[in-house]
Amino acid sequence: MRLLIIEDFEVMREALVEGLTDQGFAVDATGDGKEGLWYATGNDYDAIILDIMLPGMNGLDILRAVRASGKDVPVLLLTAMDEVDDRVRGLDLGADDYLTKPFAVAELLARVRSLTRRGHRVRAPVIEVGDLAIDTVARTASRAGEPIALTPREFAMLEYLALRLGTVVTRSEIWEHLYAFSDESTSNVVEATIARLRRKLSPGEAKPLIHTRRGFGYVMAEQEPAE
């Protein structure tokens, strides 16, 4: 999942980037309001973490512009304890949730996970595909009860495919949702990660769950879809 953080307090911004990256998220971040708007309207994110008080352009104006552009990306507002009016205005402008400072990183992670699932119209924290279970909270996967050892990047790709269950996902969509601007990976990393996932998810004679649609991309489904 790819996130955007727009927060001008550098210490907090860097801590959030580190914590979310450790959890397998791809993260873009800025402390400037105008640059944040450029990121938000020019790219596809699974969620945006948005401070209200920003240099260049405040968070509520960014939120208004994002919604006016037609993007329905989930937005989590960061507000001070006494900014009740701003929280109300933010919710009225289309924010999906808010968190008051100071906050525990664990709570922010829980809210971000919930927002990314909601953005893909998935409510349950555990996604099941046949005998495969993907726990989006514990960040674990198992098949037929047997745990599957996954790297954070492999889990992120598995989670994204599962959230798009039954839908063909192109390589460019995967890249846009799993890799930040600062990531220097080469373009063939998507194919390499898909190959590793297939081996781990379907060892031996186990039924494959990730299918290739030649010329289009990949689709996760219990049964191989018809061409």
Side-chain angles (χ1 to χ4, degrees):
M1 300 292 103
R2 188 177 178 189
L3 307 176
L4 172 62
I5 298 173
I6 310 175
E7 163 62 63
D8 66 324
F9 183 35
E10 185 176 1
V11 173
M12 177 179 290
R13 185 174 68 250
E14 291 182 352
L16 291 178
V17 170
E18 181 178 359
L20 290 164
T21 301
D22 287 345
Q23 289 293 311
F25 291 99
V27 184
D28 294 326
T30 180
D32 180 78
K34 290 183 178 178
E35 185 175 58
L37 178 61
W38 179 83
Y39 274 109
T41 56
N43 302 277
D44 289 329
Y45 292 99
D46 295 287
I48 296 174
I49 300 169
L50 175 63
D51 190 22
I52 289 182
M53 300 301 294
L54 294 164
M57 186 178 190
N58 74 50
L60 295 180
D61 287 338
I62 293 172
L63 176 58
R64 183 183 291 107
V66 168
R67 293 302 184 232
S69 74
K71 288 186 175 292
D72 60 356
V73 54
V75 174
L76 173 65
L77 288 180
L78 301 182
T79 72
M81 290 291 289
D82 59 351
E83 293 176 340
V84 177
D85 290 343
D86 283 340
R87 291 199 292 272
V88 171
R89 288 177 60 205
L91 293 170
D92 284 341
L93 286 171
D96 297 270
D97 199 357
Y98 69 85
L99 196 55
T100 56
K101 302 176 185 179
F103 53 81
V105 174
E107 182 178 4
L108 180 135
L109 285 169
R111 290 175 183 263
V112 167
R113 287 192 295 262
S114 177
L115 286 177
T116 56
R117 291 197 305 270
R118 190 187 310 170
H120 290 280
R121 295 173 175 80
V122 174
R123 293 287 182 176
V126 177
I127 305 170
E128 296 183 348
V129 186
D131 59 354
L132 172 68
I134 304 161
D135 190 326
T136 63
V137 175
R139 316 297 287 174
T140 59
S142 62
R143 186 158 190 191
E146 292 295 321
I148 303 169
L150 298 173
T151 66
R153 181 56 56 79
E154 289 167 352
F155 183 87
M157 187 171 290
L158 175 63
E159 180 184 27
Y160 182 64
L161 291 172
L163 288 170
R164 300 288 301 276
L165 188 64
T167 301
V168 176
V169 182
T170 67
R171 291 172 181 82
S172 62
E173 284 179 306
I174 293 173
W175 182 270
E176 289 168 2
H177 282 267
L178 299 186
Y179 298 88
F181 271 113
S182 60
D183 198 305
E184 297 180 354
S185 302
T186 58
S187 59
N188 65 358
V189 71
V190 171
E191 287 83 354
T193 306
I194 287 285
R196 292 198 304 272
L197 265 182
R198 280 175 161 154
R199 289 195 297 269
K200 292 184 176 184
L201 294 180
S202 304
E205 300 298 317
K207 182 192 301 183
L209 298 174
I210 300 175
H211 312 280
T212 300
R213 292 292 303 276
R214 297 194 182 281
F216 295 96
Y218 307 99
V219 58
M220 172 164 275
E222 188 173 0
Q223 301 295 332
E224 184 170 3
E227 292 289 341

